[in-house]
């Protein structure tokens, strides 16, 4: 049993003391006892009140978001391009920060898992110690009980033979009686050692703890990874400026917001409860761990504070005295019986009793080491330090990550919904915006066409006829008036603005004439074409 002499006094970590110092109050806002007591309704009520603080913040956050959406959902007022670009940049920054908070939560979850594995390993060592006590007690009971019955009966039969030296026979008979009585006492003490531990199955309990921890670790990793996926998707949606993606991811961010604050409520209550238990872990285990052992026995082995003699150590001492007496009686019989009796079965019986006594002595040596309180105390302190130091730090780190992620998700929902409401650009059939996310120096927009003089665009028939005239050679173009609601003429009173020198415009009452430039007719002005401009920011 290595490490027996390295047990140190357990001191609650600083973080445990800080969390334990948080006020434990009831519904009437009066302070209650902060000693770890999971079976007390008042104590559980105080933990519930502490855990309800993130829940109240969640309700307040949802109320603010609801009011904001109700007041802004119908607002379609155009915003300047720079304001929307600032929203997108803000959304990207918040998404990156949210990824950092999620990473902190993942680190805390993994760190807590490692701390719990260390605690489980120390618990397995303690379970092996208990199993050793059970096994050695069974060996002692068997060696001094069932296996000793047949040699004792054979030895008693050999001593029943008539002999002349009655004094020596009396000595042998008294030694045989002492051997039988002490062997029975040793077997009874071994049974008393094993019986209190019979119902204690630490192996099964530690296996369940390992399964619970594995499920907790997997669930925590899945939850934090889902939050990280939402942050990454928000970052990608902000870069693409996709309104449908922003809308769907806004809903996902709202769900992540609720999950973060709900997890924060559970983590607050769990952290405070763990800090309360870590103030006196030996007392917490003795009172509330699932076992059927006497409280003074558990407290003795976990704290190693001797207030009175322990039950197991008392039985061990009885067994040691009984085995010593068995060895002394067997020595008397081994010297005197072969001298008085010439029985062939005497030596095998004495040899079997000697072997059983030696096995009992070896079992007692192992029991005296296993039942030493410092051995159990070393394993327990190792488990308590792993859970209350590194484990509590990791649990608190996850709590901070959940709070930070909840705040960031709140800001993301606000910015995302704000950006979605005011993004009102014309989109392609695929649903993507045509404008780039950040307009560079090379990007420009097309101007809107100038208004027509009479307020109306030229008629379709006139435009077709003019286009047909332009397609003909100069010699085939008629000089007569063109039927329709408009005729081609010089650019006096034209449609508004000459495209180049000598260019022609379209008017409502102009006549067809030769243009003064090289005898060619003017083509249809660009201002006759109606342009459909996109709304770019």
């Amino acid at each position: 049993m290595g490490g027996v002499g390295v047990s140190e006094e357990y001191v609650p970590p600083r973080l445990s003391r800080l969390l334990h110092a948080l006020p434990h109050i009831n519904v009437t806002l009066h302070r209650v006892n902060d000693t770890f007591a999971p079976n007390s309704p008042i104590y559980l009520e105080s933990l519930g009140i502490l855990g309800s603080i993130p829940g109240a913040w969640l309700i307040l956050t949802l109320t603010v978001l609801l009011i904001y959406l109700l007041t802004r959902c119908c607002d379609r007022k155009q915003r300047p391009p720079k304001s929307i670009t600032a929203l997108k940049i803000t959304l990207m920054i918040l998404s990156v920060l949210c990824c950092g908070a999620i990473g902190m939560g993942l680190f805390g979850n993994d760190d807590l898992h490692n701390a719990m594995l260390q605690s489980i390993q120390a618990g397995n060592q303690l379970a092996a110690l208990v199993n050793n006590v059970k096994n050695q007690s069974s060996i002692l009971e068997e060696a001094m009980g069932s296996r000793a019955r047949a040699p004792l009966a054979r030895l008693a039969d050999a001593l029943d033979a008539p002999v002349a030296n009655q004094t020596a026979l009396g000595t042998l008979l008294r030694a045989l009686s002492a051997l039988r009585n002490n062997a029975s006492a040793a077997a009874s003490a071994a049974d008393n050692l094993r019986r209190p531990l019979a119902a204690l199955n630490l192996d099964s309990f530690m296996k369940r703890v390992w399964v619970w921890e594995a499920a907790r670790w997997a669930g925590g990793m899945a939850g934090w990874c889902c939050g990280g996926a939402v942050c990454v998707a928000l970052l990608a949606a902000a870069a693409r400026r996709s309104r449908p993606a922003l809308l769907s991811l806004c809903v996902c961010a709202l769900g992540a917001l609720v999950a973060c604050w709900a997890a924060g409520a559970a983590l607050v209550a769990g952290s405070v409860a763990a800090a309360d238990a870590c103030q006196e872990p030996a007392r917490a285990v003795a009172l509330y761990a699932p076992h059927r052992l006497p409280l003074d026995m558990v407290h003795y082995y976990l704290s190693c504070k001797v207030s009175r003699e322990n039950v197991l150590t008392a039985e061990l001492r009885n067994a040691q005295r009984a085995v010593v007496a068995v060895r002394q009686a067997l020595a008397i019989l081994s010297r005197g019986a072969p001298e008085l009796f010439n029985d062939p079965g005497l030596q095998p019986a004495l040899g079997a009793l000697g072997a059983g006594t030696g096995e009992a002595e070896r079992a007692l040596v192992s029991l005296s080491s296993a039942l030493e309180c410092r051995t159990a105390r070393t394993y327990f302190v190792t488990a308590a330090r792993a859970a209350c130091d590194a484990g509590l730090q990791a649990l608190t780190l996850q709590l901070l990550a959940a709070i930070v992620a909840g705040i960031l998700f709140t800001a993301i929902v606000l910015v995302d919904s704000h950006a979605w409401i005011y993004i009102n650009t014309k989109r392609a059939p695929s649903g993507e915006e045509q404008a780039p996310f950040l307009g560079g120096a090379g990007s420009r927009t097309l101007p809107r066409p100038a208004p027509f003089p009479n307020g109306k665009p030229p008629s379709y028939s006139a435009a077709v006829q003019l286009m047909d005239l332009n397609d003909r050679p100069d010699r085939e173009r008629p000089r007569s008036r063109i039927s329709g609601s408009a005729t081609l003429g010089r650019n006096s009173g034209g449609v508004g603005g000459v495209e180049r020198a000598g260019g022609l415009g379209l008017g409502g009452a102009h006549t067809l004439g030769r243009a003064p430039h090289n005898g060619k007719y003017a083509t249809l002005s660009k201002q006759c074409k109606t342009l459909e401009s996109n709304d770019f920011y």
Side-chain angles (χ1 to χ4, degrees), residues 489-500 502-507 510 516 522 525:
R490 296 184 183 275
N491 194 24
S492 57
V495 180
V498 181
E499 180 182 4
R500 59 176 59 94
L504 300 179
L506 184 61
H510 295 285
S525 174

Side-chain angles (χ1 to χ4, degrees), residues 408-442:
L408 290 175
F409 273 122
T410 303
I412 284 173
V413 171
L414 285 171
V415 176
D416 194 358
S417 57
H418 191 83
W420 179 82
I421 289 172
Y422 292 118
I423 289 179
N424 198 18
T425 59
K426 183 177 180 63
R427 292 169 293 171
S430 60
E432 299 296 331
E433 296 182 22
Q434 300 302 308
F437 170 54
L438 296 175

Side-chain angles (χ1 to χ4, degrees), residues 477-482 512:
R477 294 180 183 175
R479 297 178 179 273
S480 60
R481 295 178 61 89
I482 298 176
L512 183 61

Side-chain angles (χ1 to χ4, degrees), residues 144-217:
M144 295 287 99
S146 59
R147 289 172 53 186
R149 291 191 187 100
L152 284 174
R154 184 70 187 88
L155 188 59
D157 293 339
L159 295 181
D160 283 341
V163 292
N165 192 346
Q166 295 296 319
T167 302
L169 178 61
T171 302
L172 294 177
L173 290 177
R174 286 192 296 272
L176 178 62
S177 177
L179 192 153
R180 182 183 290 112
N181 293 334
N182 284 288
S184 178
S188 177
D191 182 67
N192 293 334
L193 280 173
R194 184 177 51 83
R195 189 185 303 116
L197 303 176
L200 183 61
N201 190 357
L202 281 181
D203 287 329
S204 177
F205 176 73
M206 297 311 299
K207 288 180 181 178
R208 290 197 302 269
V209 171
W210 186 87
V211 171
W212 295 339
E213 172 55 25
R216 186 211 62 79
W217 176 81

Side-chain angles (χ1 to χ4, degrees), residues 66-118:
L66 179 61
I67 294 174
Y68 170 77
L69 293 176
L70 289 177
T71 56
R72 292 293 182 180
C73 63
C74 297
D75 188 359
R76 297 296 179 180
K77 183 179 179 181
Q78 294 291 333
R79 290 295 188 271
K82 292 183 179 180
S83 63
I84 302 300
T85 301
L87 286 175
K88 294 304 183 66
I89 294 176
T90 304
L91 185 59
M92 294 177 68
I93 294 174
L94 290 175
S95 300
V96 172
L97 293 177
C98 183
C99 290
I102 296 300
M104 183 173 62
L106 285 170
F107 177 79
N109 184 72
D110 192 65
D111 201 13
L112 177 60
H113 182 65
N114 293 332
M116 292 304 299
L117 288 181
Q118 293 178 8

